[in-house]
């Protein structure tokens, strides 16, 4: 098996430097880069009895840089095991800027196929430089991957009129029931905003343009990234990550978002064959972008994302030894035009030390805090029942000394706010976000999955999710509840022993 100098160098670097990161310096069950920087998860796939996860990876720095594909595997979506770096920027389509995001699938002959975006820099006679993005393949056995000599398999020559060759990236591939292949790739249209292009192939190696799956027409941000398409509960679903959005009444916030479109396919229409019925944000927290899904062997559609936002990258610990995390995988279903997301059930087998309190009364003078009910790596369930005049109920976690993170429910406004501004931060970037939540009778159910450096809040059994990273002192494990006005709270706490 041929391994380029660039790949060997990356593999040696990760082996040398990962030893300098103690396990306690990482999350307990969220995947982080072996060394250096991680952004988008890539190639989330089931292959030879394991889930494979690749990711955008710079092993040489904790900042974005020449993009490699890092690689890890898991049997249960919770415990991860590293594999050697899978792709390095070492061939014509990707050497200058890297191997950008993409997907993976098993070929009928049992080989593992990766499809990724190669980004190359083109220098013009007038001195200007532009990126050119193409789709490329690599074939492997679950450890080593060989780039396909016929790369690129999709280039500017395959694009429909008006489609940009500069912004043409992040293929997602799947196989149809007739054995043919499809891939959807994000692209910039003539109006400078995103569109999703559909390509088809009989063998996964020779591809041709089919149609436009969806067109932005400037509605949701500018360029779209990291598209996904699948059928779930009888509906067609598109997930994708728009850049440069303005906040709007649907609950999207400024900047990068993840968007879910639920609808159906209109096979007749070449110019946007997806018909939207419902559109909403996938995660209303601070840190979630660039999703990937996989179909598990037992038929569950499972979602992960980069638990980070591009705009909040400056919020990090000094001398960070790694940067970037993959979110906890979530099981997806559709209910009443909404994507419902729940933590994968595999997490429950790691629950220990159950502690419970029922009908805890909190108000302006009664704060609930009990050292027997603390935990930094924990699975928490709260049922909050505010009285009519209750203005807010605040749950603090990762609490120690004067520092804490919090989730605050305001039943009168039906909002939930996550906040890390008091966790010891010294950088002025966004640290708090508020989302609308629905609570018919005022009561709210929260499931809070806490790891050393993150919180993922699932509201009302997955109707809304809010994710955020934080870097509070890892020893801070306090949990407390307070209210302005009166409320009763049921609390169940499990520690997670991973
Ligand atoms: C999304 C993204 C992708 C691209 C990759 C580059 O976060 O911008 O569109 O492929 O990151 O690292």
């Amino acid at each position: 098996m041929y391994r380029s100098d660039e790949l060997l160098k990356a593999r040696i670097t990760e082996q040398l430097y990962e030893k300098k990161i103690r396990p306690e310096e990482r999350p307990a069950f969220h995947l982080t880069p072996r060394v250096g920087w991680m952004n988008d998860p890539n190639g989330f796939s089931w292959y030879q009895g394991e889930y494979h996860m690749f990711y955008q990876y710079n092993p040489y720095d904790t900042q974005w840089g020449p993009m490699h594909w890092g690689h890890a595997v898991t049997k249960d979506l919770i415990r991860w095991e590293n594999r050697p770096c899978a792709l390095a920027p070492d061939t014509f389509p990707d050497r200058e800027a890297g191997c950008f995001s993409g997907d993976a699938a098993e070929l009928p002959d049992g080989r593992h196929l990766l499809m990724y975006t190669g980004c190359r820099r083109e220098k013009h006679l007038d001195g200007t430089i532009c990126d050119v993005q193409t789709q490329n393949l690599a074939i492997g056995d679950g450890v080593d991957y060989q780039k396909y000599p016929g790369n690129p398999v999709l280039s500017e020559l395959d694009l429909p009129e008006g489609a940009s060759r500069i912004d043409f990236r992040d293929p997602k591939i799947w196989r149809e029931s007739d054995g043919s292949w499809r891939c959807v790739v994000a692209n910039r249209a003539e109006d400078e905003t995103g569109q999703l292009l559909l390509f088809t192939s009989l063998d996964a190696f020779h591809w041709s343009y089919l149609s436009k799956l969806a067109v932005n027409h400037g509605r949701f941000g500018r360029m779209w990234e990291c598209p996904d398409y699948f059928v779930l509960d009888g509906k067609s679903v598109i997930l994708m990550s728009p850049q440069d959005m303005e906040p709007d009444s649907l609950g999207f916030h400024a900047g990068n978002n993840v968007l879910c479109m639920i609808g159906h396919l209109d096979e007749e229409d070449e110019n946007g064959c997806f018909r939207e019925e419902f559109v909403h944000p996938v995660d209303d927290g601070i840190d979630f972008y660039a999703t990937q899904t996989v179909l598990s062997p037992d038929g569950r559609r499972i979602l992960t994302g980069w638990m980070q936002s591009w705009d909040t990258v400056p919020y990090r610990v000094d001398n960070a030894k790694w940067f970037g995390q993959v979110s906890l995988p979530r099981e997806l279903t559709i209910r009443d035009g909404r994507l419902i997301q729940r933590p994968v059930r595999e997490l429950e087998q790691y629950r220990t030390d159950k502690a419970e309190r029922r009908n805890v009364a909190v108000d302006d003078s009664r704060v609930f805090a009990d050292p027997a009910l603390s935990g930094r790596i924990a699975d928490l369930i709260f049922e909050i029942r505010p009285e009519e005049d209750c203005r807010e109920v605040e749950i603090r976690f990762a609490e120690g000394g004067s520092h804490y993170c919090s989730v605050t429910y305001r039943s009168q406004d039906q909002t939930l706010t996550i906040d890390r501004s008091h966790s010891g931060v010294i950088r002025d970037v966004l640290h708090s976000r508020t989302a609308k939540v629905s609570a018919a009778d005022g009561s709210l159910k929260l499931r809070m999955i806490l790891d050393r450096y993150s919180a993922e809040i699932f509201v009302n059994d997955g109707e809304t999710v809010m994710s955020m990273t934080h870097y509070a002192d890892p020893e801070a494990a306090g949990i407390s509840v307070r209210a302005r006005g009166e409320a009763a709270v049921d609390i169940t706490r499990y520690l997670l022993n991973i």
Side-chain angles (χ1 to χ4, degrees):
M1 170 79 70
Y2 169 73
R3 298 190 187 96
S4 68
D5 291 352
E6 291 83 351
L7 186 68
L8 287 174
K9 188 172 152 209
R11 287 184 171 191
I12 291 168
T13 303
E14 59 188 10
Q15 276 189 52
L16 268 180
Y17 288 97
E18 74 180 345
K19 298 196 188 94
K20 297 185 195 286
I21 311 177
R22 286 178 288 118
E24 317 82 74
E25 294 178 281
R26 295 184 186 265
F29 56 99
H30 286 81
L31 181 65
T32 50
R34 219 166 144 177
V35 294
W37 162 277
M38 159 199 283
N39 55 291
D40 319 353
N42 295 152
F44 192 17
S45 52
W46 174 260
Y47 180 66
Q48 289 182 348
E50 290 175 311
Y51 295 95
H52 287 248
M53 180 73 86
F54 302 84
Y55 51 87
Q56 291 288 281
Y57 180 37
N58 178 9
Y60 304 113
D61 196 348
T62 54
Q63 301 286 352
W64 192 88
M67 276 298 114
H68 296 61
W69 274 34
H71 188 188
V73 292
T74 177
K75 286 205 161 55
D76 66 2
L77 299 159
I78 306 295
R79 295 174 87 133
W80 295 93
E81 202 185 290
N82 286 314
R83 289 267 166 101
C85 177
L87 298 179
D90 53 10
T91 56
F92 171 74
D94 52 51
R95 191 173 286 126
E96 287 123 3
C99 305
F100 282 14
S101 285
D103 196 17
E106 182 169 350
L107 288 167
D109 64 9
R111 293 178 297 162
H112 204 197
L113 180 79
L114 311 184
M115 192 181 212
Y116 70 95
T117 298
C119 191
R120 102 173 173 256
R121 298 253 136 93
E122 198 179 73
K123 295 190 183 71
H124 301 147
L125 289 174
D126 64 0
T128 55
I129 296 179
C130 77
D131 282 0
V132 178
Q133 301 186 334
T134 56
Q135 313 320 316
N136 298 272
L137 303 177
I139 302 104
D141 59 2
V143 180
D144 288 304
Y145 293 84
Q146 205 79 66
K147 293 200 179 148
Y148 176 54
N151 282 341
V153 294
L154 282 172
S155 74
E156 54 220 275
L157 304 174
D158 303 288
L159 290 171
E161 223 184 292
S164 163
R165 65 192 191 117
I166 295 171
D167 286 303
F168 174 42
R169 58 179 174 273
D170 310 339
K172 162 83 191 185
I173 44 176
W174 70 94
R175 213 163 169 215
E176 291 286 329
S177 49
D178 65 2
S180 65
W181 294 81
R182 297 281 182 283
C183 88
V184 56
V185 188
N187 179 253
R188 186 162 45 83
E190 255 168 339
D191 70 355
E192 298 295 318
T193 74
Q195 59 183 356
L196 303 184
L197 305 181
L198 205 53
F199 297 86
T200 178
S201 169
L202 290 176
D203 60 2
F205 290 88
H206 302 89
W207 291 88
S208 53
Y209 172 68
L210 189 64
S211 65
K212 290 183 182 174
L213 180 67
V215 183
N216 189 358
H217 295 311
R219 295 166 304 154
F220 304 109
R222 293 195 199 146
M223 176 61 185
W224 288 347
E225 300 187 305
C226 304
D228 198 348
Y229 169 79
F230 50 86
V231 174
L232 181 66
D233 296 336
K235 288 283 180 193
S236 295
V237 180
I238 288 178
L239 301 179
M240 117 296 268
S241 299
Q243 295 178 309
D244 307 319
M245 281 188 83
E246 283 186 39
D248 70 4
S249 58
L250 289 173
F252 291 100
H253 54 76
N256 294 35
N257 280 264
V258 182
L259 178 144
C260 169
M261 285 180 177
I262 301 175
H264 63 274
L265 279 194
D266 179 353
E267 308 269 355
E268 305 291 291
D269 177 2
E270 223 209 294
N271 300 314
C273 60
F274 183 85
R275 294 273 162 259
E276 298 155 32
E277 291 162 31
F278 306 95
V279 178
H280 64 82
V282 172
D283 193 300
D284 293 288
I286 301 174
D287 297 301
F288 193 73
Y289 195 62
T291 54
Q292 281 266 314
T293 67
V294 69
L295 196 61
S296 69
D298 60 3
R300 290 173 289 160
R301 178 61 58 176
I302 296 175
L303 170 90
T304 57
W306 182 36
M307 194 161 45
Q308 185 60 50
S309 170
W310 280 108
D311 287 337
T312 59
V313 164
Y315 167 55
R316 48 170 63 215
V317 285
D318 290 340
N319 305 318
K321 291 185 180 152
W322 54 267
F323 189 81
Q325 306 182 50
V326 176
S327 73
L328 176 67
R330 308 170 181 177
E331 293 178 17
L332 302 183
T333 50
I334 291 181
R335 199 177 65 216
D336 303 332
R338 238 188 126 73
L339 193 70
I340 304 296
Q341 309 170 65
R342 293 194 178 88
V344 281
R345 60 195 70 169
E346 285 86 343
L347 185 68
E348 287 159 37
Q349 74 206 15
Y350 294 103
R351 285 170 163 177
T352 62
D353 299 272
K354 182 175 184 184
E356 244 180 325
R357 303 286 184 277
R358 292 270 162 268
N359 266 318
V360 175
V362 280
D363 58 32
D364 297 82
S365 57
R366 277 183 294 179
V367 173
F368 170 81
D370 180 351
L373 210 144
S374 59
R376 178 64 175 259
I377 299 169
D379 186 346
L380 312 173
I381 299 160
F382 288 88
E383 301 242 12
I384 307 171
R385 293 181 295 278
E387 295 293 329
E388 223 166 276
D389 66 346
C390 181
R391 291 176 307 288
E392 62 180 44
V393 178
E394 180 188 344
I395 300 166
R396 294 187 180 176
F397 58 95
E399 191 171 18
S402 58
H403 291 154
Y404 60 88
C405 295
S406 65
V407 177
T408 302
Y409 173 43
R410 293 184 187 88
S411 54
Q412 289 159 348
D413 312 341
Q414 304 226 323
T415 62
L416 192 70
T417 302
I418 52 167
D419 195 334
R420 62 187 177 202
S421 9
H422 300 282
S423 61
V425 298
I426 50 166
R427 293 269 77 85
D428 185 21
V429 295
L430 183 88
H431 292 304
S432 164
R433 180 154 282 139
T434 297
K436 276 272 172 207
V437 289
S438 69
D441 61 353
S443 68
L444 197 77
K445 191 170 167 194
L446 298 182
R447 175 141 176 231
M448 299 176 44
I449 310 295
L450 308 185
D451 199 348
R452 214 168 261 131
Y453 299 111
S454 63
E456 288 156 288
I457 319 290
F458 295 81
V459 186
N460 289 339
D461 297 311
E463 269 172 22
T464 301
V465 189
M466 301 179 84
S467 303
M468 75 169 182
T469 60
H470 68 81
Y471 301 103
D473 174 357
E475 299 302 315
I479 292 165
S480 63
V481 189
R482 63 205 69 221
R484 295 209 300 137
E486 284 176 32
V489 184
D490 295 342
I491 312 168
T492 309
R493 187 244 29 206
Y494 301 91
L495 297 179
L496 291 168
N497 184 13
I498 315 285

